[in-house]
Amino acid sequence: MKTALWLYMFLFLAFFDLHAQYPVLTPFAISLGAAPTFIGWMMGIYALTHLPGNLLAGSLIDRHGSRRYIIFSLTAAGIILLLQAHVQLPWQLLVLRSISGFVLAFLSPACLALLASLSRDPVTQGKYMSGHGVIHTLASVLSPAAGAFIVANAGFSGTFQSLGWLLIFTGLMAFLSLPKPMSATAAKAKHKGQLAEPINNETPARLPFSLRLYLIPFAIACSQGILFFEIPLRESGLTSIMSTGLLFSVISLGALVTLSMLFLNRYGPHIRVTIGVFGLAICFYALAAADHVPITIILFTLGLAKGLLFPALSSLFIQLSGGGRLGKVFSFQSIAMSLGSFVGPIAAGQLRTVVSPYFVAFLMLMTVLLLLPKRNREAPLTAISPETPISTV
């Protein structure tokens, strides 16, 4: 339990640090002379370089343990932020953001793997993972407004230096407090003797559902990328940074409200995903066309939809897979979301002079609703808890 508390603290500080940059990056890039198209590439490149990091993280963490990758990710990201404080040209910011996306790709899977290794009881593991989700959401609620406040008082350079030293300090605490892992061979031998019989040793090579379903997480991540690109461009100046930070916190607050409604897990994942995607689509339509509706109400509602959607989406994939090949199922979902996060800001930067990017997101989300499979009223092949978690960063 002590290790779990340390991990929660590291995760909170890391997520707080990362989300605090959201209202800052776009105004900072504009101050360097970057055009909206370049800003779209700057935001998208982070998700693109996140992808190879995610692909490498799985095998490396299984082979060497989580500790070294948690320390590496936190410390390297802090050093990059210190360098970012001295950026003077847009292309320098682009390079640093691309490197940051790669090194931070190791953090979340390493922390999740270490949390899961703290217990072999599925119920206890579920509690640990739920704690991870709550920590992530709380950090995303508080940090955008805090980041905007720091910029208002310390400027861009002071903000990046403060956040960089915070990450380096967190990495140092991780080095001093996290236990060294046992060797991979010993860990496998230990778990092999205590785990139950595998679900199916002869799982088919193909997934039991169409790959086009991964267009759903792709569209969700793409729409999020559009939102994160567009909101900071609403106004200019210091007032814009403060209001942007508060608006991002409103989204996270809405998500926290829905995540707290544990009774929603009683409903099937299909209906929750349908309502969540439809709710997101309506919110993006309102952002594009309903100027008379206060943006805080729209974004809070959007957060409610997000809090409903993300846990339900992982449950839907578990149900459709029948409990087999979950590693492949979720790795494909992570890839789809990384690609969507890359495409969204770039598409917004290219299309915003022609059509509202919010309307593009609305059309995309309504289209993927057609890809949802028909509701299956039969029980899944394997009894797996609907609260089985999945990372969304």
Side-chain angles (χ1 to χ4, degrees):
M1 187 63 186
K2 181 179 178 181
T3 302
L5 293 176
W6 277 112
L7 272 176
Y8 287 148
M9 185 180 70
F10 300 151
L11 284 169
F12 179 82
L13 292 175
F15 287 139
F16 181 93
D17 197 302
L18 298 175
H19 285 277
Q21 299 180 56
Y22 283 154
V24 179
L25 283 172
T26 296
F28 179 57
I30 292 175
S31 71
L32 297 176
T37 301
F38 183 89
I39 295 172
W41 278 98
M42 178 201 70
M43 297 182 67
I45 199 70
Y46 178 89
L48 186 64
T49 56
H50 216 64
L51 184 59
N54 277 330
L55 293 175
L56 289 172
S59 59
L60 291 176
I61 291 169
D62 288 340
R63 189 180 307 166
H64 303 294
S66 298
R67 182 177 183 269
R68 66 179 66 181
Y69 295 104
I70 293 174
I71 298 170
F72 159 75
S73 188
L74 291 170
T75 307
I79 293 172
I80 291 170
L81 278 175
L82 293 181
L83 295 174
Q84 194 169 297
H86 302 285
V87 162
Q88 296 181 348
L89 297 173
W91 70 265
Q92 295 173 339
L93 181 60
L94 181 69
V95 171
L96 290 177
R97 285 293 292 168
S98 63
I99 300 173
S100 178
F102 178 79
V103 300
L104 284 170
F106 293 84
L107 180 61
S108 185
C111 288
L112 287 172
L114 185 54
L115 278 173
S117 69
L118 296 178
S119 174
R120 289 181 296 276
D121 178 24
V123 176
T124 305
Q125 287 179 336
K127 291 179 180 178
Y128 285 148
M129 298 301 177
S130 298
H132 169 268
V134 171
I135 290 296
H136 190 174
T137 305
L138 285 174
S140 64
V141 169
L142 300 174
S143 56
F149 177 79
I150 296 174
V151 171
N153 291 274
F156 292 120
S157 180
T159 299
F160 291 133
Q161 289 187 37
S162 300
L163 297 177
W165 284 116
L166 177 61
L167 278 181
I168 293 174
F169 177 69
T170 307
L172 178 62
M173 287 195 299
F175 176 78
L176 296 174
S177 60
L178 289 181
K180 293 184 178 181
M182 66 179 70
S183 66
T185 304
K188 287 181 180 178
K190 182 178 179 181
H191 284 276
K192 196 171 183 180
Q194 298 188 17
L195 291 177
E197 184 180 351
I199 296 172
N200 188 358
N201 290 327
E202 299 180 357
T203 52
R206 294 172 59 88
L207 293 175
F209 54 84
S210 174
L211 290 178
R212 74 173 185 271
L213 289 178
Y214 285 107
L215 289 174
I216 299 173
F218 172 84
I220 294 168
C222 189
S223 64
Q224 280 194 122
I226 290 173
L227 183 69
F228 292 154
F229 175 85
E230 284 291 317
I231 286 183
L233 295 178
R234 294 173 58 248
E235 301 173 6
S236 61
L238 189 60
T239 303
S240 173
I241 300 176
M242 293 294 293
S243 64
T244 298
L246 293 174
L247 290 177
F248 281 134
S249 294
V250 167
I251 298 173
S252 300
L253 188 61
L256 185 62
V257 170
T258 317
L259 287 170
S260 303
M261 298 179 181
L262 300 179
F263 66 89
L264 292 175
N265 290 323
R266 300 175 185 174
Y267 300 94
H270 185 281
I271 187 65
R272 285 185 284 149
V273 169
T274 302
I275 294 174
V277 173
F278 182 74
L280 280 181
I282 294 301
C283 289
F284 277 101
Y285 183 82
L287 288 170
D291 296 334
H292 59 283
V293 180
I295 190 171
T296 52
I297 294 178
I298 298 175
L299 293 181
F300 183 80
T301 307
L302 189 146
L304 292 175
K306 281 181 59 178
L308 175 67
L309 178 58
F310 281 112
L313 188 61
S314 61
S315 297
L316 179 65
F317 279 115
I318 291 172
Q319 185 182 75
L320 294 176
S321 69
R325 305 180 65 83
L326 291 180
K328 186 174 183 179
V329 168
F330 289 146
S331 67
F332 280 4
Q333 181 176 352
S334 178
I335 291 170
M337 298 198 75
S338 293
L339 289 175
S341 298
F342 170 70
V343 171
I346 294 175
Q350 297 288 343
L351 298 175
R352 68 190 316 266
T353 58
V354 180
V355 64
S356 171
Y358 294 135
F359 188 69
V360 174
F362 163 73
L363 291 178
M364 190 165 44
L365 290 168
M366 293 301 289
T367 301
V368 298
L369 274 178
L370 302 176
L371 302 178
L372 283 173
K374 295 181 179 179
R375 294 183 63 181
N376 183 10
R377 298 184 179 275
E378 297 179 2
L381 298 178
T382 307
I384 295 182
S385 171
E387 289 82 9
T388 303
I390 179 172
S391 173
T392 61
V393 175

